[in-house]
Amino acid sequence: MSLRSQGLRAEEVLIRSFQAGDEAAFRSLNEQWIKHYFKLEAKDEAMFADPQKTILERGGQILLGIAGGKSVGCCALLPMDEGEFEVAKMAVAPGHQGSGIGRRLLCAVIAEARRMQARRLYLETNHILKPAIRLYESLGFQHLDPSNLTLSPYGRADVYMELKLSRHDDS
């Protein structure tokens, strides 16, 4: 059942930080889209096996979208270099796509990165995920030339983007 059929608006979805017990929802949300379009890779498995260790304990964040007591979306910030994070593992449950949850999650992740004094966000995606790419572009992410980048650990990655954050944007 989608948010629209439930009469909920995206604004009514609670965006909150990852909590103990969210591991299964984080894995399930991401496995759905990855298995639909691609296949799980070793780096996916490592992250899903222990998001506390692979993301949170390294200084990253995971945000979840909650509607009706259920996780309907997620997005993670993975630490890279000083002041730089990768936006990763962004997913919205199939019945809730197109309702604005992805935009709310991505905006919350950008706000969290600013709170953490990040100066740059980076992401990797695939050209067939056109709605996601349009969302990233609409929020200011710019395409990067792959020939100038270190090879991604993901075989599915063929689109690379960044968002430079100004510390003055919060004023």
Side-chain angles (χ1 to χ4, degrees):
M1 183 180 275
S2 73
L3 284 177
R4 290 181 185 133
S5 62
Q6 292 178 19
L8 294 173
R9 295 187 319 265
E11 299 81 39
E12 295 171 330
V13 174
L14 170 70
I15 306 291
R16 67 161 171 78
S17 295
F18 185 93
Q19 300 171 358
D22 286 336
E23 295 84 357
F26 180 66
R27 179 182 197 107
S28 175
L29 285 163
N30 279 288
E31 279 185 349
Q32 285 177 337
W33 76 264
I34 295 170
K35 288 180 176 179
H36 179 78
Y37 293 104
F38 311 104
K39 65 180 173 72
L40 288 178
E41 299 183 40
K43 186 158 175 147
D44 297 316
E45 290 290 356
M47 229 175 269
F48 299 148
D50 193 348
Q52 181 73 37
K53 182 177 181 181
T54 59
I55 300 171
L56 302 174
E57 288 177 11
R58 293 184 54 233
Q61 289 286 343
I62 302 171
L63 299 181
L64 287 102
I66 310 296
K70 295 185 70 171
S71 297
V72 296
C74 61
C75 190
L77 278 173
L78 309 176
M80 295 174 66
D81 293 328
E82 181 72 28
E84 296 186 355
F85 291 86
E86 179 180 354
V87 175
K89 302 299 182 243
M90 183 166 171
V92 175
H96 299 287
Q97 293 172 0
S99 64
I101 294 172
R103 177 173 293 278
R104 288 219 35 236
L105 277 166
L106 188 55
C107 287
V109 160
I110 293 169
E112 180 65 12
R114 284 190 171 115
R115 187 193 66 75
M116 296 167 71
Q117 300 190 7
R119 66 179 181 281
R120 176 180 178 261
L121 295 178
Y122 169 82
L123 66 84
E124 301 175 346
T125 189
N126 185 281
H127 71 280
I128 67 170
L129 302 174
K130 293 184 187 337
I133 293 169
R134 284 192 300 271
L135 172 61
Y136 302 138
E137 290 169 342
S138 76
L139 292 175
F141 281 83
Q142 302 292 314
H143 290 265
L144 297 171
D145 180 352
S147 66
N148 296 331
L149 301 172
T150 304
L151 186 63
S152 171
Y154 292 104
R156 64 181 174 258
D158 66 0
V159 174
Y160 311 89
M161 303 176 82
E162 74 175 356
L163 176 65
K164 292 189 177 174
L165 301 175
S166 166
R167 303 227 173 124
H168 306 292
D169 289 347
D170 295 321
S171 55

